Amino acid sequence: MTDISSESGTHPQSGEGSNEATLARSQERSDKVEADLEKHPENWRMLTGDRPTGKLHIGHYFGSLANRVRLQNMGIESFLLIADYQVIYDRDGVGDIQENVLSAVADYLAIGIDPARTTIFTHSALPGLNQLLLPFLSLVTEAELRRNPTVKDELANSDRPMSGLMLTFPVHQAADILFCKANLVPVGRDQLPHIEQARVIARRFDERYGRVDPEHPVFPEPEALLSATPHVLGLDGTKMSKSRGNTIEIGMSADRTAALIKKARTDADRHISYDPQNRPEVSNLVLLTALCEGTTPRQVAEEIGDGGSGTLKKRLTSSLNDHFAPIRARRAELVADEGQLRQVLHEGNEKAGAIADQTLDEVRHAMKMVY
């Protein structure tokens, strides 16, 4: 599973998005958005989502899932996409997609996502969303798509030919955001170019095809809400990824969790400190402990001191299993009732589909394609 800008005047893939000045402006803008969310949650509509390529893990939870619950509980209307079409842009088949989609729904409900306040839906169930790709593709160039960091990374690191779906991934993601006229997208810094691409498409649609309501563009320009949680690594100190076998899934048993933490990589220094740059493995375990306990990494490190990695691992095991125990208990109940999971998805697909159709109708009117 993987999750979905810079200043509106910058080019989406100009390279400026990676420099500190642009990131600082993006952070300042995100801080202003965060402040307004608390005052006027009714003015915002959030879109976020996951690619169902595997089971959701604690990196997803601390990096984005818990924040989705927070925003939902603030009263922000929320849409949660399970991006099943994005599974096939770099694969030869769909794999365990049914299991992964239903597992994601169970995770969402177990952590506190409320389907009465958050619409959970899938790509493949919304023809109206996917049809937005056609007019949106007319608004971008091939060169712009190839400058997108995700596409560039695929070109540089994949040994397979790039599919047309992969090349147009940034446009599909713009359709994900804009179909419901979302104006808020929680992201990490590396995803800022995707938000900027959606902003560019929204502006270009307004400039090229016009409006139905003269006072308002068809699509809002979405704002990025940058994550405040430090990046969580895998148990080996590298990027957390199911393919690397370094994750702890949300639904794992307490015993399995303990076994994985016991094998987690540390270093030879017995004194525990929080130094992510020089001690990434130890610091990651300290960070996870702090996130589970609601304290700071430095406080955890100070309390363990010369206790060594064994003490750190025991504390993390206890804190993590305590934190996820109620979530896992609720999840077990949900998994036992597949009908309920499918019903939640069915209702979400119906609601999101109606919104997609309404937006598509407005697009047709703006483009004078109503016959």
Side-chain angles (χ1 to χ4, degrees), residues 264-318:
R265 184 178 300 171
T266 54
D267 57 36
D269 189 345
R270 183 169 182 80
H271 182 77
I272 299 302
S273 62
Y274 184 65
D275 184 358
Q277 184 171 358
N278 297 310
R279 303 183 72 187
E281 299 95 342
V282 167
S283 296
N284 189 57
L285 300 186
V286 170
L287 171 61
L288 283 171
T289 305
L291 289 170
C292 291
E293 296 179 358
T295 185
T296 66
R298 300 200 184 281
Q299 183 175 339
V300 171
E302 288 174 5
E303 289 172 357
I304 296 175
D306 292 327
S309 61
T311 301
L312 171 59
K313 289 180 179 181
K314 287 179 182 178
R315 179 162 167 176
L316 171 57
T317 299
S318 176

Side-chain angles (χ1 to χ4, degrees), residues 102-276:
L102 293 174
S103 175
V105 177
D107 286 330
Y108 296 154
L109 301 183
I111 67 169
I113 294 293
D114 179 0
R117 292 180 288 172
T118 295
T119 303
I120 304 171
F121 66 100
T122 58
H123 262 155
S124 58
L126 273 61
L129 183 160
N130 294 295
Q131 194 169 334
L132 290 176
L133 276 173
L134 294 174
F136 284 3
L137 283 168
S138 74
L139 301 171
V140 298
T141 66
E142 180 190 9
E144 286 175 321
L145 293 176
R146 291 183 180 276
R147 283 196 294 268
N148 180 276
T150 301
V151 175
K152 284 177 67 175
D153 183 68
E154 180 74 9
L155 278 170
N157 299 310
S158 177
D159 57 359
R160 59 185 293 149
M162 175 173 288
S163 69
L165 186 59
M166 179 72 238
L167 179 63
T168 58
F169 163 70
V171 184
H172 204 173
Q173 202 159 59
D176 296 340
I177 298 166
L178 298 176
F179 93 94
C180 63
K181 303 192 178 184
N183 57 0
L184 178 70
V185 187
V187 293
R189 289 186 168 194
D190 59 333
Q191 296 165 315
L192 285 171
H194 293 293
I195 308 306
E196 181 61 21
Q197 182 69 81
R199 292 172 62 84
V200 167
I201 286 174
R203 287 198 301 274
R204 288 179 182 172
F205 186 93
D206 189 48
E207 294 163 358
R208 184 173 300 181
Y209 298 122
R211 307 177 177 186
V212 177
D213 178 353
E215 299 299 318
H216 302 284
V218 174
F219 298 107
E221 294 185 26
E223 296 286 352
L225 183 66
L226 290 171
S227 172
T229 302
H231 187 58
V232 176
L233 300 175
L235 295 175
D236 58 357
T238 66
K239 180 179 178 181
M240 189 172 285
S241 169
K242 184 176 177 64
S243 63
R244 300 185 186 196
N246 63 3
T247 68
I248 296 174
E249 296 170 6
I250 292 173
M252 274 183 175
S253 69
D255 287 344
R256 178 61 177 155
T257 297
L260 288 173
I261 292 174
K262 190 174 183 179
K263 295 178 182 178
R265 184 178 300 171
T266 54
D267 57 36
D269 189 345
R270 183 169 182 80
H271 182 77
I272 299 302
S273 62
Y274 184 65
D275 184 358

